[in-house]
Amino acid sequence: MERFINTILIGISGGSIYGLMALALVLVWRSTRVVNFAQAGQAILSTYIGYVVISHTNNYWLAFPVAVISGALIGALVDILLIRIMVKRAHQGPVAAIAPVIATLGLLGLIRAVVGLIWGGDLRQFKLPVTNHGFTFGHTTIPFAPINLLIVVITFLVMLIFALIFQRTNLGLALRASAYQPEIARLSGIRVDLTRTIGWAFAGSAGAIAGILVTPTNYLAPNSLDLLLVSGFVAAVIGGLESLVGAAVGGLILGIGLAFVLEYVSSSLAFPAAFMVLIAVLLVKPAGLIGSKRSRNA
Amino acid sequence: MSGLVITNLEVNHGAIRAVRNLSFTVESGQLAAVIGANGAGKTTLLRALSGLKHVHAGNATWHETSIINKKPENLVRSGIVHVSDGKAVIPELSVKENLALSGIWRKDKKDVARATTEVLDLFPILAARLSQSADSLSGGERQMLAIGRALIARPSLLLLDEPSLGLAPLIIEQIFSAINSLRHTYDLTVLLVEQNATSALQIADIGIIINLGELVTVGPSHSLLNDPALRAAYLGY
Ligand SMILES: Nc1ncnc2c1ncn2[C@@H]1O[C@H](COP(=O)(O)OP(=O)(O)OP(=O)(O)O)[C@@H](O)[C@H]1O
Ligand SMILES: [Mg+2]
């Protein structure tokens, strides 16, 4: 029983990170219909920027907002400098659909290379904001540590803030309208291009939060978030790719599912296990758990 | 001169010349019915006027300012509002959110509230459905919502694309009478695209008949209604 609960707790902590990454991917997908492989690169760049702040100030809580703001700016820049132009140039047909995706893959490679040039390829330790020694109850110490609690709490707050922005503010209304029906949004006077860029900035900040939360429990290297990108995609697809709630739920399901496979089956299954969870969910619900009612016009 | 002035307008879809050398004028405050068969270029004309479609040649001015090849959202903000065909609402949003869309960029929030109240008075059925998703509305209700959303932007030039399409006769009558009343209330200039020629001409000041992208004739609507040759050729009875 104890082992079971511990596995769930660890799963929730891991799943929070997947959920944040999924959120970053969903925000872009539903507004622009682009599968953004560059998100791993954007997140690693903002995490390195956070790393610079920490190495100068030794203060994680200063690095955190700097990384988040950098992530937002990077997201906005990717949209303005790359995606807008690709989407505008691309008209119809299979090449037009695939071109922006290839572009984001290329950008991922480019950012990784730039990061490698600036900071080198070696693995770096990242300062822990709180300890990673598990909570102790009497004589037992569980795997779930204050750092895991912090991850869960921050993720919850971030999701809550996003939900409030999207459901309760005019900006959120503009973001949803521009994602669902860009033409009608335009005909209602909404600046859809600007709104999309804000969506990319939000996505970038979500990815940055995932990066700066997960890196202290791991290590920092130019490719250290690549696996997280895969998990984020899997979580996003489990959640149906369209909704913020879906991203969060998909992240949790993947996190808990993975934790169980690693704990009860084999710890060498990390990568395939993500896809096992994905396939299991899609066999039951082919449109994802929270699939859209109807397919939307891009 | 003031009003909507269209001169030698050319709009293409690739190789298809959907609007050719089209010229006509709608004076400020007039309701003009644009009549034509399927594929005549009516929708293309409206999309060009609202900035959704690139214009290849010619010009269109509204109160002496050119409106072609401008961003749709900027045209909306300057009072040119297009209600596109197919009951243009966003089904994923609630009725209230659909209406709110054209108010969020407006500075005068008091007037947005006033405009919203006016729309709900004009279409009381929407008031009863405010928190429902637009997906749950009937075709007629969606059309009312689309027109209502346009009104909240406080348009001066309203472009309506086949508001009666697919609606029951009773609802069509309701929509047409709403259009007729609101254009007087707000002193609107209206370009009303319709295949429902007779109903449209009955509330219109002038009729513009186009065929294969070209102007056939433009004239006062009562004389078009009474011209047997035109009736046979373009109004279908
Ligand atoms: N997106 C498009 N791509 C290519 N051709 C188009 C496109 N839209 C319209 N056309 C062509 O342009 C011409 C005019 O079409 P348009 O939709 O403007 O006509 P319409 O008068 O609105 O017709 P309807 O009464 O059926 O709505 C037609 O020949 C049509 O096939
Ligand atoms: Mg049409």
Side-chain angles (χ1 to χ4, degrees), chain A residues 176 183 188-189 191 296, chain B residues 47 74 77 92 97 105:
Chain A
R176 284 181 291 144
E183 187 173 294
S188 305
R191 298 199 190 287
R296 284 173 186 135
Chain B
R47 291 177 69 85
N74 290 339
R77 289 170 188 227
E92 289 91 343
E97 288 171 331
W105 47 268

Side-chain angles (χ1 to χ4, degrees), chain A residues 7-80:
Chain A
T7 309
I8 288 195
L9 285 174
I10 288 301
I12 291 174
S13 164
S16 298
I17 303 285
Y18 306 153
L20 284 172
M21 199 55 165
L23 179 66
L25 298 168
V26 164
L27 283 176
V28 161
W29 167 256
R30 70 175 201 169
S31 73
T32 322
R33 299 283 140 174
V34 171
V35 177
N36 184 20
F37 286 105
Q39 184 60 71
Q42 295 168 233
I44 204 70
L45 182 54
S46 57
T47 307
Y48 268 98
I49 293 170
Y51 175 80
V52 170
V53 174
I54 289 183
S55 45
H56 282 91
T57 65
N58 201 32
N59 186 343
Y60 181 89
W61 294 113
L62 190 62
F64 189 94
V66 170
V68 175
I69 291 167
S70 311
L73 292 177
I74 295 164
L77 281 180
V78 171
D79 181 45
I80 292 170

Side-chain angles (χ1 to χ4, degrees), chain A residues 195-285:
Chain A
T195 309
R196 273 193 182 148
T197 301
I198 295 171
W200 274 78
F202 279 157
S205 66
I209 295 169
I212 199 155
L213 278 181
V214 75
T215 303
T217 67
N218 197 6
Y219 59 84
L220 181 63
N223 62 356
S224 61
L225 293 180
D226 288 5
L227 202 58
L228 177 59
L229 181 76
V230 176
S231 312
F233 269 127
V234 172
V237 172
I238 292 174
L241 263 176
E242 293 279 355
S243 86
L244 310 193
V245 177
V249 172
L252 286 180
I253 289 177
L254 178 63
I256 294 171
L258 267 181
F260 272 93
V261 174
L262 299 184
E263 177 69 23
Y264 288 89
V265 187
S266 161
S267 60
S268 63
L269 281 178
F271 195 72
F275 292 97
M276 282 154 52
V277 175
L278 174 68
I279 289 166
V281 169
L282 291 186
L283 281 177
V284 182
K285 292 210 74 175

